[in-house]
Amino acid sequence: MNSSDLTDISGHLIIVTGAASGIGKDLAKHLLSRGAIVAACDKNESALKELKTISANPNLYIFGVDFQSEASIRDCVFRIEEELGSIHAAVNCVGILGKNGNKAEDVDIEDFDLVYRINLRGALIFTQALLKGMAEREYGRILHLASISGKEGNPLLVSYSATKAGLIGMVKSIGKEYANTGVTVNALAPALIETPMSESFSETQLTYLKSRIPMNRLGTTNEVALLTAWIISPACSFTTGFAFDLSGGRATY
Ligand SMILES: NC(=O)c1ccc[n+]([C@@H]2O[C@H](COP(=O)([O-])OP(=O)(O)OC[C@H]3O[C@@H](n4cnc5c(N)ncnc54)[C@H](O)[C@@H]3O)[C@@H](O)[C@H]2O)c1
């Protein structure tokens, strides 16, 4: 590592969850290109294996995890520490939309429970599994992919918006609690980004969501990766409990 460049993350061990697709997948590739050691985690293990084959990078390690299960999340973090050593940073890109497009009065409560379980409960368990080790080592970077839906709320997206708002509240609380430990805990709140998830919106929702972005375009996974790489580097040392914006001007706060 070049000690004068605080954005240098080469040699850092970084967990990327949700790494089999979209934002997480492209982030894993970007971090590898910057010399990081990446533990890519997802429930879609066949897609992870494909990523490993295509990347052919010895610094990429893959781990199965199911964010619905507390034991699976804790075991995943434990295995990474056992096999690869101390974790410098973790970016949680696991997230599901759930059944979207329903009016609030028609939201399926079982589906709400599932979205909550994966997007918020899983995120808390994942954070818990990381905090102790990072605090003991007096360094760590944790970043959760929230969403503009959590900052502003989007119609016909109740479960998703509520859990992403919960995620923002969670990082605000934990960020303050661990502010003196060398560990930062932040969220990133993008507007629509071109990935398989954004392709799953209905035409009506897509038109609405796009129309709310002043830059009049979708964001790219590369734009997410570039900002993320800075947030999880030693350079970003005076910001915690914050929801970073990446919304093409939609949220100016
Ligand atoms: N794409 C967007 O427009 C957008 C905008 C704002 C925020 N986000 C957030 O960014 C993150 C990544 O989104 P994306 O667009 O890359 O989505 P994606 O659907 O392409 O990828 C999500 C990944 O999460 C994994 N996953 C789902 N359930 C899981 C579980 N139970 N256990 C483990 N892994 C599981 C999937 O297998 C997939 O690889 C999500 O949290 C999403 O809410 C996305």
Side-chain angles (χ1 to χ4, degrees), residues 18-24 42-44 65-68 93-96 118 145-148 160 164 190-193 195-198:
S21 173
I23 289 170
D42 206 286
K43 71 162 192 206
N44 187 344
V65 69
D66 182 356
F67 259 50
Q68 284 199 64
C93 305
V94 167
I96 61 166
I118 294 174
L145 264 291
S147 166
I148 189 74
Y160 185 76
K164 293 298 183 178
L192 215 49
I193 306 293
T195 72
M197 180 181 276
S198 54

Side-chain angles (χ1 to χ4, degrees), residues 3 30 40 62 191-192 236:
S3 59
H30 181 81
I62 57 173
L192 215 49
C236 184

Side-chain angles (χ1 to χ4, degrees), residues 87-91 130 134 139-143 182-186 230-238:
I87 298 157
H88 294 82
V91 186
L130 294 161
M134 285 182 171
Y139 180 83
R141 299 281 182 264
I142 301 174
L143 181 70
V183 182
T184 67
V185 186
N186 289 298
W230 180 76
I231 296 169
I232 62 166
S233 75
C236 184
S237 51
F238 200 49

Side-chain angles (χ1 to χ4, degrees), residues 36-223:
I37 299 156
V38 175
C41 312
D42 206 286
K43 71 162 192 206
N44 187 344
E45 295 191 45
S46 58
L48 282 182
K49 283 182 190 143
E50 205 177 303
L51 176 65
K52 172 85 187 147
T53 309
I54 292 166
S55 109
N57 188 319
N59 284 337
L60 174 63
Y61 297 85
I62 57 173
F63 295 86
V65 69
D66 182 356
F67 259 50
Q68 284 199 64
S69 154
E70 176 175 358
S72 172
I73 298 168
R74 292 195 190 280
D75 179 60
C76 177
V77 174
F78 179 78
R79 278 186 293 141
I80 292 169
E81 280 174 336
E82 283 284 298
E83 290 175 32
L84 303 175
S86 299
I87 298 157
H88 294 82
V91 186
N92 173 27
C93 305
V94 167
I96 61 166
L97 279 179
K99 289 182 193 165
N100 63 92
N102 286 333
K103 292 196 78 173
E105 63 204 55
D106 297 324
V107 165
D108 175 343
I109 296 304
E110 274 185 28
D111 185 66
F112 178 89
D113 288 343
L114 178 67
V115 177
Y116 155 74
R117 205 172 169 89
I118 294 174
N119 290 5
L120 187 51
R121 179 182 182 269
L124 173 60
I125 295 163
F126 181 60
T127 310
Q128 286 181 317
L130 294 161
L131 280 171
K132 194 163 181 283
M134 285 182 171
E136 274 170 10
R137 293 188 294 276
E138 299 179 352
Y139 180 83
R141 299 281 182 264
I142 301 174
L143 181 70
H144 291 280
L145 264 291
S147 166
I148 189 74
S149 297
K151 268 188 172 178
E152 300 214 328
N154 275 317
L156 309 181
L157 269 175
V158 176
S159 309
Y160 185 76
S161 302
T163 56
K164 293 298 183 178
L167 207 46
I168 292 171
M170 185 188 87
V171 305
K172 285 183 180 177
S173 173
I174 302 177
K176 286 187 171 66
E177 202 178 313
Y178 281 76
N180 290 316
T181 65
V183 182
T184 67
V185 186
N186 289 298
L188 180 60
L192 215 49
I193 306 293
E194 283 182 56
T195 72
M197 180 181 276
S198 54
E199 284 163 19
S200 67
F201 283 115
S202 72
E203 210 43 52
T204 318
Q205 277 177 302
L206 211 53
T207 307
Y208 170 80
L209 292 170
K210 268 196 219 166
S211 74
R212 304 279 289 132
I213 300 174
M215 285 190 190
N216 202 25
R217 66 172 176 87
L218 270 59
T220 66
T221 53
N222 191 46
E223 288 170 320

